[in-house]
């Protein structure tokens, strides 16, 4: 074992600089080129690397010390010397002179670049108090420095702070606090109970499955149920259907529902928003692109009717029909399914009384529509047969309160019960 004093190499134009951070402690094992200290001049801060690897035996400097080229920073028990010790029998040739310590350059600031997988708030990141190399270290690990508390001088973020942050985050994610913490699903051989066959899921099934699963477990869903009296709406739709039959035009109930939804989105703009990636801001949208869930043999897709507020009932009906055909013919383009503000999932043509639609993130709410049915409704004097449409509104409870959810469906129900309101 050999010990070696590690000295400050040529640090360029500076006579003396102040140590603002110690990056190693006695007992640490380091590699050559690992940073030992951070110094700061009035122009820049820089980290001074070690010329050798080994175990730190002594730290010869302290925060606040002024140092210059040749100052001893630490004493290392060098690992290299152990590996390179020559056998005793043969006299060792004189060792080659050690390479001159590398002259450290002030580390350039890393340009702001969003990580492909982990969200980094670039504004907060750039404001964080940390040296360039700690910034690079944080970025390599996908750590948003804006979330790390600095324990260094004047709150500077040290390498240790970043490591502690990563450890805490991982431990929270694996200890049940951040993960579901459920036992994995066992692999089961169903053939032990009867005849079976394995059928591969379609690509759409797999993609939708992942998407729905993520949304279901990460968004706190609440579903508000309600009903709308669509007796008049249906009478009008049927009348229009007869009048427009010769032109080959058919107005779907979904077009009325979409128009009513837009009126309610205008009355309750929070439903037309998305949480940003930091979850600290709402992105309020001033456009009305409405998604429609379409059932295809390969699975569920959600094409988006763009600027539906500016389209007529006939135009919306035609677009839904065209999209449904395209979807079933696998002709939808990715852009046809992007940019939605709110989705409608209609199972009305099929059946059912109510259901819990899963929010189509980053949207914050989705309306499920079930099959309308004639119900005896008390009008104050007697029961009247009215055509009632069941509505199931799922919303993101982080963005929308229960009271707002009930107000939205009440408003929506009123629009559908008296479609003259849609003219207002
Ligand atoms: N109650 C009663 N009847 C209804 C109805 C309702 N809520 N909605 C539609 N209908 C009737 C229509 O009147 C029509 O009957 P007629 O042919 O006698 O007029 C029939 O059902 C079909 O309606 P439509 O042609 O107008 O189609 P649509 O607009 O209802 O639906 C589409 C189009 C694309 C939404 C539908 O084909 C579809 O794919 N639905 C499934 C969506 C889905 O899978 N959602 C679940 C997603 S999981 O969250």
């Amino acid at each position: 074992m050999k010990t070696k004093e590690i000295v400050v190499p040529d640090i360029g134009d500076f006579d003396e600089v102040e140590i603002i951070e110690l990056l190693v402690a006695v007992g640490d094992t380091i590699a050559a080129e690992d940073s030992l200290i951070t110094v700061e001049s009035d122009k820049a801060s820089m980290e001074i690397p070690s010329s050798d690897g080994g175990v730190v035996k002594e730290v010869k400097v302290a925060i606040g010390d002024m140092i210059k080229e040749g100052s001893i920073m630490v004493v290392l028990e060098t690992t290299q010397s152990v590996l390179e010790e020559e056998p005793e029998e043969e006299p060792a040739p004189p060792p080659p002179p050690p390479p001159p310590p590398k002259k450290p350059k002030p580390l350039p600031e890393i340009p702001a670049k969003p990580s492909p997988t982990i969200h980094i708030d670039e504004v907060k990141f750039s404001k964080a108090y940390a040296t360039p190399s700690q910034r690079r270290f944080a970025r390599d690990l996908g750590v948003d420095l804006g979330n790390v508390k600095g324990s260094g001088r004047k709150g500077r973020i040290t390498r240790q702070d970043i490591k502690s942050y990563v450890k805490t985050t991982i431990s929270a994610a694996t200890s049940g606090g951040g993960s579901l913490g459920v036992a994995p699903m066992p692999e089961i051989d169903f053939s032990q109970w009867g005849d079976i066959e394995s059928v591969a899921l379609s690509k759409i099934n797999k993609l939708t499955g992942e998407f729905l699963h993520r949304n279901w477990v990460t968004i706190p869903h609440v579903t508000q149920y309600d009903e709308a009296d669509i007796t008049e709406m249906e009478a009008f739709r049927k009348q229009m259907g007869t009048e427009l039959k010769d032109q080959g035009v058919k107005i779907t109930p979904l077009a009325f529902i979409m128009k009513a939804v837009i009126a309610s989105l205008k009355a309750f703009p929070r439903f037309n928003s998305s949480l940003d990636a930091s979850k600290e801001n709402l992105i309020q949208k001033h456009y009305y692109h409405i998604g429609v869930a379409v059932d295809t043999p390969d699975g569920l897709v959600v094409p988006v009717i763009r600027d539906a507020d500016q389209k007529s009932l006939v135009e919306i009906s035609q677009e839904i029909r065209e999209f449904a055909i395209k979807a079933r013919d696998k002709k939808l383009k990715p852009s046809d399914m992007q940019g939605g503000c709110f989705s409608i999932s209609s199972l009305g043509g099929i059946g059912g009384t109510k259901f819990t639609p899963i929010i189509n993130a980053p949207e914050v709410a989705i309306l499920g529509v079930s099959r309308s049915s004639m119900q005896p409704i008390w009008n104050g004097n007697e029961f009247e047969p009215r055509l009632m449409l069941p509505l199931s509104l799922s919303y993101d409870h982080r963005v929308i309160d229960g009271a707002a959810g009930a107000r939205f469906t009440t408003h929506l129900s009123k629009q559908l019960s008296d479609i003259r309101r849609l003219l207002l």
Side-chain angles (χ1 to χ4, degrees):
M1 284 293 172
K2 276 186 188 165
T3 54
K4 183 169 180 186
E5 290 178 338
I6 308 295
V7 298
V8 176
D10 176 6
I11 47 174
D13 302 335
F14 306 107
D15 283 335
E16 277 201 327
V17 280
E18 187 190 352
I19 299 179
I20 56 161
E21 200 177 347
L22 294 179
L23 302 172
V24 293
V26 172
D28 283 358
T29 302
I30 60 162
E33 294 303 313
D34 274 0
S35 297
L36 297 176
I37 57 174
T38 310
V39 294
E40 194 175 53
S41 73
D42 47 355
K43 288 192 196 128
S45 63
M46 67 183 116
E47 289 185 13
I48 311 282
S50 173
S51 54
D52 294 66
V55 178
V56 178
K57 285 282 141 197
E58 233 182 304
V59 177
K60 293 280 204 184
V61 285
I63 289 174
D65 285 358
M66 300 301 285
I67 52 153
K68 57 184 182 185
E69 186 182 352
S71 305
I72 301 167
M73 297 182 283
V74 298
V75 178
L76 278 190
E77 196 170 70
T78 55
T79 43
Q80 226 179 5
S81 60
V82 179
L83 296 171
E84 287 175 4
E85 246 163 27
E86 296 293 329
E88 273 172 4
E89 306 85 271
E90 277 183 44
K102 261 196 177 170
K103 177 175 166 179
K105 291 194 197 97
L107 295 163
E109 191 57 74
I110 309 294
K113 183 177 76 178
S115 146
T117 50
I118 297 160
H119 174 75
I120 288 181
D121 183 329
E122 295 299 340
V123 177
K124 281 191 182 171
F125 191 100
S126 66
K127 283 186 183 157
Y129 187 32
T131 61
S133 73
Q134 304 312 357
R135 290 175 183 281
R136 191 170 46 205
F137 182 54
R139 216 174 261 285
D140 284 348
L141 296 177
V143 169
D144 188 343
L145 275 186
N147 298 328
V148 182
K149 202 168 177 321
S151 66
R153 195 163 159 259
K154 295 182 191 163
R156 180 184 288 269
I157 296 168
T158 64
R159 183 167 287 238
Q160 192 50 48
D161 293 331
I162 298 170
K163 285 182 188 169
S164 305
Y165 176 81
V166 171
K167 272 188 204 156
T168 316
T169 311
I170 291 173
S171 122
T174 51
S175 66
S179 76
L180 289 178
V182 294
M185 192 64 84
E187 207 173 306
I188 297 169
D189 175 13
F190 294 96
S191 67
Q192 60 185 306
W193 298 298
D195 199 18
I196 58 161
E197 68 175 309
S198 172
V199 182
L201 288 178
S202 71
K203 200 172 160 205
I204 293 181
N205 283 156
K206 282 191 265 184
L207 285 173
T208 327
E210 275 175 29
F211 186 72
L212 291 173
H213 184 200
R214 183 199 66 192
N215 294 352
W216 184 245
V217 298
T218 59
I219 301 173
H221 280 67
V222 177
T223 305
Q224 172 68 55
Y225 301 107
D226 211 332
E227 281 180 330
D229 181 339
I230 57 163
T231 318
E232 314 298 342
M233 183 199 101
E234 271 301 90
F236 176 69
R237 190 181 73 87
K238 290 226 165 89
Q239 185 193 329
M240 284 295 105
T242 317
E243 284 180 27
L244 296 168
K245 201 172 177 184
D246 295 346
Q247 298 168 37
V249 175
K250 190 182 169 202
I251 302 179
T252 159
L254 209 43
F256 287 89
I257 296 167
M258 195 174 287
K259 280 288 184 192
V261 159
I262 291 166
S264 299
L265 290 176
K266 287 183 176 170
F268 302 94
R270 230 174 150 89
F271 286 77
N272 192 18
S273 72
S274 287
L275 273 172
D276 77 359
S278 73
K279 311 267 188 293
E280 286 180 15
N281 307 294
L282 274 186
I283 307 298
Q284 186 65 61
K285 293 157 205 170
H286 300 300
Y287 51 84
Y288 300 88
H289 303 336
I290 310 294
V292 177
V294 177
D295 173 45
T296 78
D298 284 324
L300 183 69
V301 287
V302 188
V304 174
I305 311 283
R306 248 150 251 284
D307 298 311
D309 57 319
Q310 291 160 38
K311 291 179 177 159
S312 69
L313 290 167
V314 171
E315 285 171 321
I316 292 174
S317 297
Q318 278 169 341
E319 238 180 89
I320 293 175
R321 186 158 330 117
E322 281 162 20
F323 268 145
I325 293 168
K326 263 187 170 180
R328 284 160 196 155
D329 292 346
K330 300 184 193 166
K331 298 251 167 69
L332 282 180
K333 291 182 279 181
S335 60
D336 291 333
M337 294 177 275
Q338 287 164 0
C341 304
F342 182 101
S343 296
I344 304 176
S345 174
S346 172
L347 295 174
I350 303 167
T353 51
K354 41 180 98 107
F355 64 106
T356 310
I358 298 179
I359 297 164
N360 190 13
E363 298 165 18
V364 294
I366 179 169
L367 180 72
V369 180
S370 298
R371 193 168 190 74
S372 57
S373 63
M374 214 40 110
Q375 303 278 333
I377 302 295
W378 185 250
N379 67 9
N381 295 315
E382 55 184 355
F383 282 106
E384 241 188 291
R386 307 293 296 177
L387 188 62
M388 302 302 290
L389 179 73
L391 305 170
S392 311
L393 175 83
S394 290
Y395 57 85
D396 183 337
H397 211 350
R398 294 170 301 180
V399 178
I400 293 157
D401 294 333
R407 284 193 189 107
F408 187 93
T409 55
T410 304
H411 186 273
L412 180 63
S413 166
K414 266 194 190 154
Q415 308 300 307
L416 288 167
S417 302
D418 184 355
I419 51 170
R420 291 171 306 177
R421 290 173 186 273
L422 296 175
L423 298 170
L424 296 175

